[in-house]
Amino acid sequence: MQTPPDPSLSAAVEAIYRADSRRVLATLIRLLGDFDLAEEALHDAFRAALEQWPSDGKPRNPVSWLVSTGRFKAIDRLRRRARYDLSDNFDHLRADEIEGAEIWEGNDLEDDRLRLIFTCCHPALSPDAQIALTLREMCGLTTEEIAAAFLSKPSALAQRIVRAKGKIRDARIPYRVPEGAELPDRLHAVLRVIYLVFNEGYSASSGSSITRGDLSAEAIRLGRLLAELLPDGESIGLLALMLLQDSRREARTSEEGEVVLLEDQDRTRWDRAQIDEGLILTERALRTGRIGSYALQAAIAAVHAEAANPEGTDWAQIVALYDVLLRLEPSPVVELNRAVAVAMRDGTEAGLRLVDDLVKREVLAEYPLLHAARAEFYRRMGQRAEARRSYERALSLSPAEPQRRFLSRRLEEIGAGFDEEA
């Protein structure tokens, strides 16, 4: 008697897609040599898994099964095109060459996801294209999610990704980790993209959840690989920074999933193992002799991590570190963060003056955190009308639902029934 299909395997396929689809895609891109063909093969492989696993059973190594199945599906697709109407987009691919390619398995430093991120961050691509392509191919973000992070239209973002793939294909950009002298020059773009991926996980730009742990974990994993591959101050500093920031993840939300500010967090919920590792790496990064922006940001995060409570935070040290960071890498976002630290060191009015200067310069007019910080300052000073206007502006610019709920609660706390101040 035939065993009935196990419906739980359909759920298993979905779980593997969430956890490992980017890993499968990275290997398929290496094997097939084309992003679009690899994406088609990825979907073909998972479609086959949904059809076969419930009746045949889950394979012992699902990822290898998916890679093999995807490759064979791509070979069949190419042979059909060769027989009928081979698209010009795939005339550089030969089914027999793909069939003879060795399937790489292992966990060494130059794994396929690391190769993929260096390819996505190739200097032949514009910085925006590098970030968009990495978020799409490495992390599986939708075009709409990436567009929200870019404050861009989805249609324009989609074209940017298409052009980036075409550039890689037409220029025959190699699918490899750079070697020797070219590696340090290529590292900066990769670090920037990894940190942007981490930030999307640390503070999701859209959706109902404050964080996306899968993206943070992937960024940290890539950061570890880079720190081992090229252990200079910036790669080590970025890893330290991500570990220290991620250590607070569990405390950043309430049991109901609402935003909890740093000053209100239960610090016993911070991950001490991550903090300890991050502190060690921060010291190591600062001792390398070439201190960069990631090492300095890690040092700032370390000061927060070492404070037993908000009152014990060394705000003077944090302001001093921001002063160095501003000289090294001038940025209005750094200015905003420094203004918050100045408010904690010197008083709310001092911080507000710095934030108002940013507002006058209109450098962060569409940045919701600027208006949220300004609203917090006005709230603390009792200027409810100004606070309300800034909260409303921040709310109008915030796409993520948890942040919108937080801002709405602040508006409710202020209350609408009061006389406008002159």
Side-chain angles (χ1 to χ4, degrees):
M1 181 176 177
Q2 186 176 6
T3 303
D6 183 357
S8 66
L9 285 175
S10 295
V13 173
E14 294 177 8
I16 291 171
Y17 184 88
R18 288 192 300 271
D20 293 312
S21 62
R22 298 300 103 184
R23 178 181 172 192
V24 173
L25 178 64
T27 298
L28 286 172
I29 292 173
R30 176 178 58 81
L31 292 171
L32 303 177
D34 186 278
F35 280 80
D36 292 328
L37 184 62
E39 288 175 358
E40 291 176 349
L42 174 74
H43 294 304
D44 286 343
F46 275 96
R47 191 177 299 113
L50 283 171
E51 294 170 354
Q52 298 178 33
W53 291 8
S55 57
D56 297 348
K58 180 180 175 181
R60 187 165 53 90
N61 190 330
V63 170
S64 291
W65 187 96
L66 289 162
V67 169
S68 297
T69 300
R71 183 178 65 153
F72 287 127
K73 294 285 186 182
I75 291 169
D76 290 341
R77 189 184 295 271
L78 285 175
R79 285 177 172 160
R80 287 196 301 271
R81 285 173 177 162
R83 206 162 31 239
Y84 299 110
D85 183 21
L86 181 62
S87 167
D88 289 340
N89 288 334
F90 297 101
D91 61 4
H92 60 291
L93 299 171
R94 288 173 52 88
D96 54 348
E97 291 176 354
I98 294 172
E99 191 169 18
E102 178 184 358
I103 296 180
W104 179 91
E105 293 184 35
N107 264 330
D108 64 41
L109 290 176
E110 292 187 332
D111 78 348
D112 284 326
R113 281 177 291 184
L114 193 58
R115 293 172 183 171
L116 177 56
I117 195 169
F118 270 98
T119 302
C120 292
C121 298
H122 195 277
L125 306 178
S126 70
D128 284 351
Q130 293 172 6
I131 295 170
L133 192 61
T134 300
L135 289 174
R136 183 72 187 92
E137 305 302 329
M138 288 291 302
C139 305
L141 268 68
T142 65
T143 301
E144 290 73 20
E145 288 172 326
I146 304 169
F150 272 121
L151 299 176
S152 176
K153 292 182 179 180
S155 58
L157 197 285
Q159 285 300 312
R160 186 180 301 165
I161 293 174
V162 168
R163 287 194 297 269
K165 291 178 181 178
K167 180 78 171 181
I168 290 172
R169 181 188 64 241
D170 297 341
R172 302 292 178 91
I173 290 175
Y175 190 69
R176 64 178 178 85
V177 176
E179 298 178 355
E182 66 176 324
L183 182 54
D185 291 338
R186 294 276 304 279
L187 182 65
H188 179 73
V190 174
L191 292 175
R192 184 186 66 247
V193 171
I194 289 177
Y195 192 40
L196 191 141
V197 172
F198 175 82
N199 279 333
E200 180 62 29
Y202 181 75
S203 184
S205 61
S206 61
S208 59
S209 177
I210 294 172
T211 62
R212 289 188 57 179
D214 56 335
L215 294 185
S216 299
E218 178 65 9
I220 290 172
R221 192 197 74 83
L222 289 170
R224 288 190 188 281
L225 287 174
L226 280 173
E228 188 170 351
L229 179 65
L230 190 65
D232 74 347
E234 281 295 77
S235 58
I236 297 169
L238 176 59
L239 177 58
L241 173 61
M242 293 189 296
L243 287 169
L244 291 169
Q245 289 183 325
D246 191 62
S247 70
R248 303 195 295 266
R249 176 158 40 94
E250 294 299 320
R252 294 179 62 234
T253 58
S254 67
E255 293 182 359
E256 296 77 24
E258 302 299 335
V259 174
V260 179
L261 297 180
L262 177 62
E263 62 193 51
D264 300 320
Q265 290 174 14
D266 178 0
R267 300 190 178 208
T268 64
R269 298 181 64 194
W270 290 4
D271 189 322
R272 291 307 314 180
Q274 280 188 289
I275 290 174
D276 291 343
E277 183 182 4
L279 293 176
I280 291 171
L281 288 170
T282 300
E283 291 183 7
R284 183 179 164 196
L286 294 174
R287 288 199 305 264
T288 59
R290 191 181 72 84
I291 298 175
S293 63
Y294 293 116
L296 286 169
Q297 291 177 74
I300 292 168
V303 177
H304 285 294
E306 291 174 321
N309 51 57
E311 296 74 25
T313 304
D314 189 345
W315 290 106
Q317 185 178 2
I318 289 176
V319 172
L321 288 167
Y322 273 126
D323 289 341
V324 178
L325 183 58
L326 264 177
R327 290 196 296 271
L328 180 68
E329 194 171 279
S331 159
V333 173
V334 175
E335 289 185 62
L336 174 60
N337 292 334
R338 181 182 179 277
V340 173
V342 168
M344 298 303 295
R345 184 192 66 178
D346 300 336
T348 303
E349 290 187 13
L352 180 59
R353 284 194 295 271
L354 296 174
V355 169
D356 282 344
D357 180 63
L358 289 170
V359 172
K360 291 174 184 175
R361 287 156 50 196
E362 297 184 350
V363 290
L364 293 174
E366 303 298 314
Y367 191 53
L369 293 182
L370 170 70
H371 303 285
R374 193 171 189 237
E376 284 291 302
F377 290 160
Y378 279 124
R379 183 184 68 86
R380 294 175 186 178
M381 295 167 62
Q383 298 184 29
R384 297 189 298 172
E386 291 292 343
R388 181 186 177 189
R389 281 191 282 270
S390 291
Y391 278 130
E392 289 174 343
R393 178 62 174 153
L395 185 61
S396 71
L397 295 169
S398 297
E401 189 56 36
Q403 283 75 15
R404 293 181 61 83
R405 292 197 302 268
F406 173 81
L407 294 168
S408 296
R409 286 199 308 275
R410 281 290 201 241
L411 280 167
E412 291 174 4
E413 291 168 5
I414 291 173
F418 59 87
D419 294 332
E420 290 289 336
E421 300 165 4

